[in-house]
């Protein structure tokens, strides 16, 4: 019954336009990510930095078999399954249109989806993720465009849920409980 209710929400005015608006930028971002990675493999030597800002920022081709900062190295199947589940859930949320009126959240969804899919493509094709952006000045771990999308999207999502979003159903329930408690107090005092 709850699944039926969930999927009933997939039909709303301008649903097709909303889905195109959401998925087109995600596809474009995945394309850019894969283009940058192709250029990295084509023109950079693995492990050798090409300074863009001397001593500060370099392009450096690194094969990352783990997650962020190379944690959990060589857990390819785990990362593929986790990414498929998370991206599948996120895609369902996007397609449902539940949050279609919240621009900041929609932008975060697009970024997270694109970043997750960009790195998923690498894991499936190569067994590792191609990283190439390196802040030498602070010796920050090498990362890529998809990672940037994921991190920025996650930060925007946190900002939305912590500082902007108000769950009106919870607010209404809380107000109703307070009203009921107030009525109970008035009845006791009568």
């Amino acid at each position: 019954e709850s699944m039926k209710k969930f999927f009933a929400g997939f039909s709303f005015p301008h649903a097709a336009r909303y889905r195109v608006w959401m998925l087109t930028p995600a596809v474009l971002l995945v394309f850019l990510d894969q283009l940058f990675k192709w250029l990295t493999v084509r023109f950079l030597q693995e492990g050798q930095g090409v300074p863009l800002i001397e001593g500060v920022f370099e392009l450096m081709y690194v094969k990352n078999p783990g997650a962020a900062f190379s944690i959990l190295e060589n857990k390819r199947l785990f990362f593929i399954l986790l990414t498929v589940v998370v991206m599948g859930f996120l895609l369902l949320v996007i397609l449902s249109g539940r949050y279609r009126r919240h621009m900041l959240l929609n932008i975060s969804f697009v970024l997270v989806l694109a970043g997750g899919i960009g790195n998923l493509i690498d894991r499936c094709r190569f067994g590792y993720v191609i990283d190439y952006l390196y802040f030498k000045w602070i010796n920050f771990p090498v990362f890529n465009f998809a990672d940037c999308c994921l991190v920025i999207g996650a930060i925007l999502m946190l900002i939305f849920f912590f500082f902007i979003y108000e769950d009106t159903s919870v607010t209404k329930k809380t107000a109703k409980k307070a009203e009921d408690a107030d009525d109970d107090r008035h009845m006791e005092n009568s």
Side-chain angles (χ1 to χ4, degrees):
E1 184 64 29
S2 62
M3 288 300 281
K4 193 176 196 179
K5 187 177 176 183
F6 176 77
F7 284 108
F10 278 51
S11 180
F12 52 89
H14 309 293
R17 187 181 319 156
Y18 167 77
R19 291 178 182 132
V20 168
W21 184 88
M22 291 292 290
L23 298 177
T24 300
V27 169
L28 292 173
L29 290 171
V30 170
F31 173 79
L32 279 176
D33 174 64
Q34 293 300 302
L35 175 64
F36 295 152
K37 290 172 179 174
W38 178 81
L39 291 169
T40 296
V41 172
R42 178 92 167 90
F43 295 107
L44 297 178
Q45 295 282 330
E46 187 177 351
Q48 293 181 348
V50 175
L52 296 181
I53 303 172
E54 192 64 45
V56 177
F57 184 69
E58 296 181 353
L59 294 178
M60 180 185 294
Y61 174 22
V62 174
K63 296 176 181 177
N64 180 356
F69 314 116
S70 294
I71 60 173
L72 297 172
E73 285 189 38
N74 301 313
K75 301 290 184 197
R76 178 181 180 199
L77 185 60
F78 169 76
F79 286 119
I80 288 173
L81 292 175
L82 178 65
T83 304
V84 167
V85 168
V86 171
M87 294 304 107
F89 174 77
L90 185 57
L91 195 56
L92 274 177
V93 171
I94 290 170
L95 295 176
S96 78
R98 178 174 179 192
Y99 297 101
R100 67 185 175 274
R101 290 180 176 78
H102 302 286
M103 181 65 72
L104 183 65
L105 190 60
N106 284 307
I107 291 168
S108 73
F109 286 162
V110 166
L111 289 168
V112 170
L113 185 66
I117 291 172
N119 284 339
L120 177 64
I121 290 170
D122 285 8
R123 282 190 217 295
C124 291
R125 285 183 66 202
F126 309 117
Y128 54 84
V129 172
I130 297 168
D131 287 335
Y132 51 87
L133 301 171
Y134 177 51
F135 279 101
K136 186 175 185 172
W137 183 55
I138 57 173
N139 195 28
F140 194 80
V142 183
F143 58 101
N144 62 44
F145 181 73
D147 297 334
C148 294
C149 290
L150 280 165
V151 169
I152 293 167
I155 290 169
L156 292 177
M157 199 177 294
L158 290 173
I159 289 169
F160 176 80
F161 281 114
F162 281 118
F163 301 109
I164 298 170
Y165 182 69
E166 182 179 326
D167 187 351
T168 54
S169 65
V170 171
T171 306
K172 287 177 185 174
K173 287 177 187 174
T174 305
K176 177 77 172 127
K177 284 181 184 177
E179 187 179 296
D180 290 347
D182 197 34
D183 288 346
D184 290 344
R185 278 193 297 261
H186 287 300
M187 288 184 134
E188 289 173 4
N189 292 336
S190 300

